[in-house]
Amino acid sequence: MKPIAAALALFLAGPALAQTQESGRVGSGAPEDIFMEVTHGDDGAPVLSQDEFTLAHGGYYRFNLVCPEELTSETGFHFEATELLENAHIRVLSVAETDLEFYMQGLSFRAIECDDAGTARFSFHPMRKGVYPIYVRDQSIPPKEVFGRIIVE
């Protein structure tokens, strides 16, 4: 009886355990949401709500790029995390609203542009440990830039 009770307890706890990301173990279940909001600062430069994220190697995450302001193609933002994308297994790309564009290159994408208020997101497994830069710029000439980073442990 005890082995059956233990197996049942593990089965029922499964969804709760799936939220814990463990380095070196490819995650399963629902991805853990990560949010980064990009807005304009007083000087017009992009401002990130968070500029550093620490993730578990092999974990399962959904990165949400949130652009809450009304934007145009002249006032929007351009997001890149090239090195992370080169070292991750991309699962799903999605756009919650219109005028958010994914630029595809091979089996991955290289950038997301916010040309209006909305959210774009991608779910992924980081497959290599390291520190990966995040680059966000506006559409001005020369562009105003801001940098963040993702640390995969």
Side-chain angles (χ1 to χ4, degrees), residues 99-146:
D99 290 326
L100 294 174
E101 303 163 3
F102 289 96
Y103 293 87
M104 303 302 291
Q105 186 171 348
L107 296 176
S108 187
F109 67 94
R110 68 173 184 85
I112 299 171
E113 282 193 9
C114 294
D115 292 336
D116 200 355
T119 303
R121 57 187 165 258
F122 58 96
S123 60
F124 67 102
H125 298 280
M127 300 309 289
R128 288 195 180 98
K129 295 179 181 183
V131 178
Y132 301 104
I134 295 171
Y135 169 66
V136 178
R137 65 171 168 78
D138 69 2
Q139 304 295 0
S140 62
I141 299 174
K144 294 178 180 126
E145 305 169 313
V146 67

Side-chain angles (χ1 to χ4, degrees), residues 17-37:
L17 295 175
Q19 296 302 318
T20 302
Q21 305 292 342
E22 181 182 328
S23 182
R25 181 173 177 228
V26 176
S28 62
E32 179 180 331
D33 279 295
I34 301 167
F35 292 89
M36 186 177 78
E37 190 173 283

Side-chain angles (χ1 to χ4, degrees), residues 46-57:
V47 175
L48 306 179
S49 61
Q50 185 173 342
D51 62 4
E52 185 172 292
F53 303 87
T54 301
L55 310 179
H57 168 239

